[in-house]
Amino acid sequence: LGKHLTPSTAAMWPLGTSAAEEVSANAALISIDVPADYKWVLLALVGVFFANQYLVVGVMQARKKYGIKYPNLYAPPGHKNEEAFNCAQRAHQNTVESMPLFLVKLVLVGLFYPLFAASCGGLWSVGRILYGYGYKTKGPDGRLIGSLISHLGDLPLQIAVFKLCYVAFTTW
């Protein structure tokens, strides 16, 4: 067996011992040095949490104010406050839809460019709060400023991911 695979761990491998041996023989161990400035990325992650909580509270308040009961994700068609509630809900839902990929980019880019990534994370969080506030108070037209600011956070991170891929394939 490979140097990191014992008989007991090989037996637990779902594809059998030979597959486990092959993976172990070909596996590369990677050591990750976390930069000292990564603490700022962690702070940006806290900002993401608070931005999400702001939007959650907005939906909870709108549910109460407009009488939208669970399990309805959106106001029923024809409800007198359908657009107002749905705007608050969409602000949160849109953020939740984009958050997983954003978080992966933030954490990954932060390992290489922590201050840059943390700055992008801060912009994204502030943008999402402004997006939610604008959407909730002014309807769909109120999303623009928050959307632009949040994209000033997520698009540069995506470009940095492309750069990291290029560097990885050309120098690693």
Side-chain angles (χ1 to χ4, degrees), residues 9 13 22 29 131 136 149 171:
T9 58
W13 187 256
E22 182 179 336
L29 293 179
Y131 177 88
K136 181 174 69 170
I149 293 171
T171 64

Side-chain angles (χ1 to χ4, degrees), residues 86-160:
N86 288 352
C87 285
Q89 175 62 8
R90 277 305 306 151
H92 179 248
Q93 192 66 32
N94 181 266
T95 299
V96 169
E97 291 164 0
S98 65
M99 194 182 301
L101 182 58
F102 172 78
L103 291 173
V104 169
K105 293 185 289 190
L106 177 64
V107 169
L108 178 66
V109 173
L111 290 171
F112 298 88
Y113 308 106
L115 296 177
F116 169 76
S119 299
C120 290
L123 279 171
W124 188 85
S125 295
V126 168
R128 295 321 295 178
I129 290 169
L130 294 174
Y131 177 88
Y133 177 79
Y135 207 167
K136 181 174 69 170
T137 60
K138 298 176 184 163
D141 292 338
R143 303 174 294 173
L144 183 62
I145 296 297
S147 180
L148 291 173
I149 293 171
S150 65
H151 287 315
L152 287 175
D154 66 4
L155 292 177
L157 280 178
Q158 185 61 57
I159 292 168

